[in-house]
Amino acid sequence: MKKHKFKDSLEQGKEGERLFLDKMTDKVVQLDGLKADFKLLADNRLVELKSDFYDMSATDNFFMERWSNSTKKSNGGPWQALDNNTDLFVYWFPLNNYMYVFETTKLVEKLKNVTKDMELVKVLNKGYITLGYKVERSLLKDVILQEKEI
């Protein structure tokens, strides 16, 4: 079981948002992050950004957070984005400058199907446990709206 430092994760998330904004500055406006991280300038769709700071070639998986707090059953990741009416869920690997864009509703529906028989992975935080799935990227290929280097 992995020991996780929320403060480090929060700092990485903020750094991911900053780097993403640098790359997409003419396409998005940054929001407060409470309901969504960004809004697309072209059509006002809301975007939730997930940044993973490892080389994507190290694994064929996404880590899709299911429960941000396992005791409280607080939705995490795409499920939380769906609760917040976020239109798009972007999974970004800053080291590779590569992103995957999903329509949040379709991603959650697909995840419900592909994770049925998967074991949840525990991530220990200070005072609570986050649970998520290691999902092979190939299993989500048919719901990827766009994947590209940015």
Side-chain angles (χ1 to χ4, degrees):
M1 188 169 7
K2 183 179 174 183
K3 179 72 173 173
H4 185 73
K5 293 183 180 173
F6 180 76
K7 184 179 176 191
D8 292 346
S9 179
L10 185 61
E11 288 172 10
Q12 276 193 335
K14 292 296 178 196
E15 178 67 4
E17 289 174 10
R18 187 189 66 73
L19 293 169
F20 186 80
L21 185 58
D22 286 349
K23 297 277 185 187
M24 303 291 286
T25 192
D26 59 335
K27 294 180 175 54
V28 300
V29 62
Q30 190 164 17
L31 303 175
D32 62 14
L34 296 176
K35 295 288 182 183
D37 296 316
F38 298 94
K39 180 170 61 171
L40 294 179
L41 292 172
D43 57 15
N44 291 324
R45 286 185 292 172
L46 298 177
V47 176
E48 179 66 26
L49 180 69
K50 158 79 170 161
S51 304
D52 264 342
F53 281 88
Y54 55 82
D55 186 332
M56 64 187 279
S57 66
T59 179
D60 292 329
N61 299 326
F62 291 118
F63 180 77
M64 294 293 182
E65 183 180 301
R66 178 59 188 98
W67 305 108
S68 62
N69 182 318
S70 63
T71 304
K72 294 180 180 179
K73 291 291 189 201
S74 307
N75 280 330
W79 287 269
Q80 183 181 66
L82 184 63
D83 288 347
N84 291 333
N85 296 310
T86 304
D87 303 294
L88 301 174
F89 189 86
V90 175
Y91 203 114
W92 186 42
F93 294 93
L95 291 178
N96 305 89
N97 287 321
Y98 203 83
M99 71 174 176
Y100 294 85
V101 180
F102 301 91
E103 184 179 311
T104 306
T105 304
K106 289 181 181 178
L107 175 59
V108 170
E109 284 304 312
K110 183 70 173 187
L111 286 169
K112 285 178 186 176
N113 290 326
V114 301
T115 61
K116 270 188 235 177
D117 297 322
M118 287 185 187
E119 295 221 9
L120 286 161
V121 175
K122 292 181 182 180
V123 180
L124 292 177
N125 296 286
K126 191 173 184 174
Y128 64 97
I129 297 173
T130 295
L131 299 172
Y133 299 103
K134 288 183 182 178
V135 180
E136 286 183 40
R137 291 193 290 267
S138 63
L139 294 175
L140 302 178
K141 191 173 180 98
D142 62 329
V143 293
I144 295 170
L145 284 179
Q146 184 180 61
E147 60 176 286
K148 68 177 187 172
E149 188 171 345
I150 59 170

